[in-house]
Amino acid sequence: MLKLAMIGSRGHFGYVISCLPGLSGKVEVIGISSGCEDPIDRLRDSLREIGISPAVYDDYHELLGLKPDMVVIDGPFEKHAVMAIEALKQGIHVFCEKPIALNLSDLDELTKVYRAGKAKMISMVGLRYDGAFACAKKLVDAGAIGKIKLVKTQKSYKLGVRPEFYKHRASYGGTIPWVGSHALDWIIYFTGSCPEKIWANQTREDNFGNGELEIAAQCQMVLKNGVMASASIDYLRPASAPTHGDDRIRLAGTQGVLEVSGGKVKLIDAEGERFVDVPECERELFSDFVFDVLGERKAWVDGEDTLNLTRACLLAQESADSGELVLWH
Amino acid sequence: MLKLAMIGSRGHFGYVISCLPGLSGKVEVIGISSGCEDPIDRLRDSLREIGISPAVYDDYHELLGLKPDMVVIDGPFEKHAVMAIEALKQGIHVFCEKPIALNLSDLDELTKVYRAGKAKMISMVGLRYDGAFACAKKLVDAGAIGKIKLVKTQKSYKLGVRPEFYKHRASYGGTIPWVGSHALDWIIYFTGSCPEKIWANQTREDNFGNGELEIAAQCQMVLKNGVMASASIDYLRPASAPTHGDDRIRLAGTQGVLEVSGGKVKLIDAEGERFVDVPECERELFSDFVFDVLGERKAWVDGEDTLNLTRACLLAQESADSGELVLWH
């Protein structure tokens, strides 16, 4: 039985909640903590709804002291790295909200600690596990579009009403790492490469009173394998739109063009243009990680992917902040 | 009666052919020339099909010497600028294939000559006159999406079999100016602004034996008015695709999102998401220019737009060639 600790509920801890019932007998939640001044209610109530009522710890250090096998980190964004480092140093596997670090010095430290130990670590790149994107990935890997030349991704969200911590760079981290991480993750995932050179832009103007939150951003990069890629990121999706997000990827290759948009997969190849049937994704993010930790199968994402994605996001943000081209470093 | 001379048939002289029948009584073709070693057949036969059989001149200088009021320039790409300059200096209005210059020194000279005279000049940005794009432009101008924050454009073409002159930078000019000019023109047209800073990438690898032709490119820019914009450009559309081109724009603003794709216009605003009825465009590129020259009405494009677009394309290409960020200059 894998002993699980859970810290915080600021982001996508729901990935864990939705998987826990299917993991009964394999995973036991041994305790929870909000990891900060946030009330514990959200996390505690979500667990209660699936019949789990673990002990609550005010101090997350105490919770880690119970020697869980794995910890879910979803506390304050600015504490992701320090909490992950603390857990990794104790050999605890880490399932962390993205971005796993808000700045490069935290990321460097995390990288060092992760590589020095044996504990596994991933961040919550749940959109690798979306049916349409998973289906598209399989097609691309099977050679459906030949050699990838050009990739475009899009994340467009409804702004809605954001908690106060989104309004400050120090506690939010920025729109490129937060919203854009998915867009950049698809680029890395589909191409199997990382950015060599990035130029990114962002703006806080017209952000509807959300302080330092960037309302929109764009990133363009050339990857180490020569593929050209770009990401369009915004909070400008109208409240009336049918879904919260408008997630897209377009891949143009030497033998075809493949797109995901609106949950559909469209392929144009030698046979013509058509929509491909999208089966439900056969894996889920959190349980995929659990099975990996248990040695049952390799997950679709690993620690190095997580470090690369976080670095790509932070370098894109460095470019947007400085206005300059940034080389991978 | 407006006396028209026509030089060459390498590009979109068809914009003129399709308008001439509707301009009878207003425009008279006084002579044609291929402007180079190309045979004259293509141009001559297209005119014959609409019942026009003008005199043929081997030497285009001789044709210009007949003092036409307007000249259509569609000869070798690398001669666009020198032919346009020659015409403008004689006070002849210029309707020229894009890009109107293949390098900045030609463009600088052209700019000087154009601004010093009274003759009008536009290049063939025919996609301002496409039904869906014209409809979208009116919606945006009427405030349908509020203040524009983010623009994405796409030009994706079938490669097909290209004439030899496409395979050499010197005679083709490059994929960013040739294919990308439409994508960059939409950005300039919809936002009413020009790039302040550009970073672009392009690749000749995997170009199916087309010499120096860039098979794909991407451009990202921040405009002088602060809008962020990008263009995705490729020749990777499979031969089996239902149409030659896949032209798109997506504009995200403070009050909505508007997209053109597949000839359709989709608007998401406070009322929700819907497709907008697209009427046929009420203007045509060439006749719009003729009416402007005749003083009947202002065209949707003018000489300064043409110079700005050409500069934007050449600066994007300068960036792609050098790998560096380029400031408007």
Side-chain angles (χ1 to χ4, degrees):
Chain A
M1 188 76 100
L2 195 143
K3 287 182 287 172
L4 182 70
M6 294 183 72
I7 302 174
S9 56
R10 289 212 168 169
H12 298 93
F13 70 102
Y15 283 130
V16 179
I17 302 295
S18 63
C19 285
L20 281 176
L23 293 168
S24 78
K26 290 186 185 269
V27 174
E28 181 196 2
V29 183
I30 62 165
I32 62 175
S33 171
S34 86
C36 62
E37 70 289 354
D38 289 353
I40 194 71
D41 309 45
R42 208 170 156 214
L43 179 53
R44 190 191 51 204
D45 296 352
S46 299
L47 284 163
R48 262 191 200 150
E49 275 173 33
I50 53 167
I52 298 173
S53 300
V56 174
Y57 295 81
D58 286 340
D59 181 354
Y60 80 87
H61 302 280
E62 200 183 332
L63 176 54
L64 291 181
L66 299 179
K67 303 201 176 301
D69 300 298
M70 183 186 292
V71 61
V72 173
I73 298 176
D74 191 16
F77 294 7
E78 71 275 20
K79 287 194 172 170
H80 288 164
V82 63
M83 287 174 171
I85 287 168
E86 189 174 336
L88 291 172
K89 281 185 172 168
Q90 299 176 54
I92 300 167
H93 304 293
V94 168
F95 182 76
C96 186
E97 178 57 286
K98 45 83 194 161
I100 202 160
L102 298 197
N103 58 66
L104 285 169
S105 67
D106 279 3
L107 181 62
D108 288 341
E109 175 67 13
L110 182 67
T111 303
K112 217 184 313 169
V113 172
Y114 168 73
R115 289 182 181 160
K118 289 201 167 143
K120 293 176 185 269
M121 165 184 81
I122 65 167
S123 67
M124 301 188 192
V125 288
L127 294 174
R128 288 192 181 196
Y129 294 80
D130 168 87
F133 286 90
C135 168
K137 176 69 159 81
K138 279 176 200 163
L139 286 166
V140 169
D141 287 353
I145 60 165
K147 181 176 166 191
I148 302 173
K149 300 297 295 175
L150 195 60
V151 185
K152 261 195 313 185
T153 58
Q154 176 184 297
K155 288 294 298 180
S156 176
Y157 276 165
K158 294 182 184 178
L159 180 59
V161 178
R162 299 272 153 182
E164 183 63 26
F165 77 84
Y166 275 84
K167 300 172 187 172
H168 311 279
R169 169 67 71 90
S171 48
Y172 168 51
T175 295
I176 291 176
W178 178 243
V179 182
S181 54
H182 299 291
L184 270 59
D185 188 53
W186 290 322
I187 290 171
I188 291 172
Y189 188 43
F190 277 81
T191 64
S193 189
C194 283
E196 181 168 88
K197 227 172 174 182
I198 309 181
W199 191 52
N201 318 118
Q202 60 194 3
T203 179
R204 289 169 175 167
E205 246 188 274
D206 307 303
N207 73 355
F208 300 91
N210 280 281
E212 296 173 348
L213 176 140
E214 298 91 3
I215 194 76
Q218 59 183 7
C219 307
Q220 181 169 297
M221 60 211 86
V222 177
L223 306 183
K224 292 175 182 178
N225 65 359
V227 171
M228 298 182 288
S230 64
S232 177
I233 301 157
D234 70 74
Y235 278 114
L236 295 164
R237 188 159 167 82
S240 67
T243 56
H244 173 62
D246 185 358
D247 293 349
R248 303 187 197 177
I249 189 167
R250 175 182 184 268
L251 300 122
T254 53
Q255 306 299 326
V257 173
L258 186 141
E259 291 189 69
V260 177
S261 177
K264 290 181 178 156
V265 177
K266 188 165 81 175
L267 175 65
I268 319 178
D269 60 12
E271 319 280 294
E273 179 182 74
R274 63 205 177 273
F275 286 98
V276 175
D277 280 336
V278 175
E280 219 171 295
C281 185
E282 75 271 26
R283 296 192 183 196
E284 289 175 290
L285 173 64
F286 178 67
S287 53
D288 203 33
F289 185 56
V290 167
F291 294 143
D292 192 325
V293 163
L294 293 174
E296 296 186 17
R297 72 177 185 213
K298 203 173 144 20
W300 284 347
V301 55
D302 66 19
E304 291 299 328
D305 288 350
T306 301
L307 295 171
N308 282 333
L309 167 63
T310 311
R311 189 163 297 273
C313 290
L314 294 177
L315 295 179
Q317 185 174 56
E318 180 180 312
S319 171
D321 285 347
S322 68
E324 298 302 325
L325 265 178
V326 168
L327 294 172
W328 184 263
H329 65 90
Chain B
M1 188 74 100
L2 196 143
K3 287 183 287 176
L4 184 69
M6 295 183 71
I7 303 173
S9 56
R10 288 213 170 169
H12 297 93
F13 71 102
Y15 283 132
V16 178
I17 303 295
S18 64
C19 284
L20 281 175
L23 292 168
S24 76
K26 289 185 186 268
V27 175
E28 181 196 0
V29 183
I30 62 164
I32 61 175
S33 171
S34 86
C36 62
E37 70 290 354
D38 289 354
I40 195 69
D41 311 43
R42 206 170 158 214
L43 178 54
R44 190 192 50 203
D45 296 351
S46 298
L47 284 163
R48 263 191 200 151
E49 275 174 34
I50 53 168
I52 298 173
S53 299
V56 174
Y57 295 81
D58 284 342
D59 182 354
Y60 80 88
H61 302 280
E62 200 184 332
L63 176 56
L64 291 181
L66 301 179
K67 300 202 179 301
D69 299 300
M70 184 187 290
V71 61
V72 174
I73 298 175
D74 191 16
F77 294 6
E78 70 276 20
K79 287 193 170 171
H80 288 165
V82 62
M83 288 176 172
I85 288 168
E86 188 174 337
L88 291 171
K89 281 185 172 167
Q90 300 176 55
I92 301 167
H93 304 293
V94 168
F95 182 76
C96 186
E97 178 57 285
K98 45 81 192 165
I100 201 159
L102 297 198
N103 60 65
L104 285 169
S105 66
D106 279 2
L107 181 62
D108 288 342
E109 175 68 11
L110 181 67
T111 303
K112 220 186 310 169
V113 172
Y114 168 74
R115 287 183 182 159
K118 287 199 169 143
K120 291 175 187 271
M121 167 185 80
I122 65 168
S123 68
M124 302 188 191
V125 287
L127 294 173
R128 289 192 182 194
Y129 294 79
D130 169 87
F133 286 90
C135 167
K137 175 69 159 81
K138 281 179 197 159
L139 286 166
V140 169
D141 287 352
I145 60 166
K147 181 176 166 189
I148 301 172
K149 301 297 294 173
L150 195 60
V151 184
K152 259 194 315 184
T153 60
Q154 177 184 295
K155 287 294 298 179
S156 175
Y157 277 164
K158 293 181 184 177
L159 180 59
V161 179
R162 299 273 154 183
E164 184 63 27
F165 77 84
Y166 275 83
K167 298 172 188 172
H168 311 279
R169 170 67 72 90
S171 49
Y172 168 51
T175 296
I176 290 176
W178 178 244
V179 182
S181 54
H182 298 292
L184 269 59
D185 188 53
W186 290 323
I187 290 171
I188 291 173
Y189 188 43
F190 276 82
T191 64
S193 190
C194 283
E196 182 169 86
K197 228 173 176 180
I198 308 182
W199 191 52
N201 319 119
Q202 62 195 1
T203 180
R204 288 170 176 167
E205 243 187 277
D206 308 303
N207 73 355
F208 300 90
N210 280 280
E212 296 175 347
L213 176 140
E214 298 91 3
I215 193 76
Q218 58 182 9
C219 307
Q220 181 169 298
M221 60 211 85
V222 177
L223 307 182
K224 291 176 182 178
N225 67 358
V227 171
M228 297 181 290
S230 63
S232 177
I233 300 157
D234 70 73
Y235 278 113
L236 295 164
R237 189 159 168 80
S240 68
T243 57
H244 173 62
D246 185 358
D247 294 348
R248 304 186 196 178
I249 189 168
R250 175 181 182 268
L251 300 121
T254 52
Q255 306 299 324
V257 173
L258 186 142
E259 291 189 70
V260 177
S261 177
K264 291 184 177 155
V265 177
K266 188 164 82 175
L267 175 65
I268 320 177
D269 60 10
E271 320 281 294
E273 179 182 74
R274 63 203 177 274
F275 286 98
V276 175
D277 281 336
V278 176
E280 218 170 296
C281 184
E282 75 271 27
R283 297 194 182 195
E284 289 176 289
L285 174 65
F286 178 66
S287 53
D288 204 32
F289 185 54
V290 167
F291 294 143
D292 192 324
V293 164
L294 294 174
E296 295 186 18
R297 70 175 187 216
K298 203 173 146 17
W300 284 348
V301 55
D302 65 17
E304 291 298 329
D305 288 351
T306 301
L307 295 171
N308 281 333
L309 167 62
T310 312
R311 190 163 296 274
C313 289
L314 295 177
L315 295 179
Q317 186 175 54
E318 180 180 313
S319 171
D321 285 346
S322 68
E324 298 302 324
L325 264 178
V326 168
L327 294 171
W328 183 263
H329 65 89

